[in-house]
Amino acid sequence: MLEEFGRVIAAGGAGVVIASQSGHRLPALTAEQDLQLATTPVDELPDLPMLQPDRLSDRLHAYQMSKRANVLRVMAEAVRWGERGARVNAISPGIIITPLARDELDGANGAGYRRMIELSPAGRAGTPDEVGTVAELLLGAQGAFITGSDILIDGGGTASHFYGPLAGRTPMPESHTAESHTAESRGDDVHRADAQGDDAQDAEGEALP
């Protein structure tokens, strides 16, 4: 979808892709693997050796890999979009309170989600409006010098995962395939087709820890 937008985006336009904090929790890949995820044509991605079932440890690993790919592909596409005078960035949300998130917090995995929230530096979940504020910056004139970037908005949850009380903790059960996905199930892109003010396509927010 990102590549398709790249063919029609107008000068002055901007796009935002929703990734996830999960992509930031995946261990570093090699430079070659980063390049492959960033630039391999979409229909050839399933053939990459690193994405074969025997190379992915579980569904969470596969999800994290997909979100790392989102960020890398945004970086690569920013070069092509720049040739048209346009910009594209990514947002990686953490746990964002939406109706789906509330259902999950009340469900079987609720204790794990609440642990992630409580042990993050912010000590709370985020709101859709807070994600929207970041998107507004990236899509508007104040973000005109930002392109090919990814903004992690997770209340410091990833920082805690690596350097704080969440470090070394057992990850979420494998039965749950996603760590966080705001605005993902119905499309990864929030976009503005041109600088003259076409309405942004609002992705419907959903969030899981």
Side-chain angles (χ1 to χ4, degrees), residues 125-148:
T127 69
D129 284 347
E130 288 174 317
V131 177
T133 296
V134 175
E136 182 179 19
L137 167 68
L138 295 176
L139 291 168
Q142 290 184 313
F145 197 55
I146 307 173
T147 191

Side-chain angles (χ1 to χ4, degrees), residues 159-171:
S160 181
H161 174 81
F162 284 109
Y163 307 113
L166 283 173
R169 296 263 182 159
T170 303

Side-chain angles (χ1 to χ4, degrees), residues 76-102:
E77 281 296 308
V79 177
R80 193 159 67 96
W81 284 41
E83 295 171 355
R84 295 173 175 265
R87 300 181 296 107
V88 62
N89 293 287
I91 298 174
S92 290
I95 302 174
I96 307 299
I97 294 299
T98 65
L100 176 58
R102 290 191 179 92

Side-chain angles (χ1 to χ4, degrees), residues 49-134:
M50 78 179 90
L51 300 183
Q52 299 312 300
D54 62 340
R55 298 286 296 276
L56 298 170
S57 58
D58 53 41
R59 289 176 291 178
L60 177 57
H61 182 200
Y63 182 79
Q64 291 175 331
M65 188 74 80
S66 73
K67 294 308 172 184
R68 176 70 62 80
N70 275 3
V71 171
L72 291 169
R73 296 182 80 81
V74 161
M75 187 179 295
E77 281 296 308
V79 177
R80 193 159 67 96
W81 284 41
E83 295 171 355
R84 295 173 175 265
R87 300 181 296 107
V88 62
N89 293 287
I91 298 174
S92 290
I95 302 174
I96 307 299
I97 294 299
T98 65
L100 176 58
R102 290 191 179 92
D103 287 344
E104 294 292 342
L105 286 167
D106 292 335
N109 294 322
Y113 299 154
R114 286 189 291 273
R115 180 190 69 197
M116 291 175 64
I117 293 170
E118 292 165 0
L119 296 182
S120 69
R124 66 172 180 85
T127 69
D129 284 347
E130 288 174 317
V131 177
T133 296
V134 175

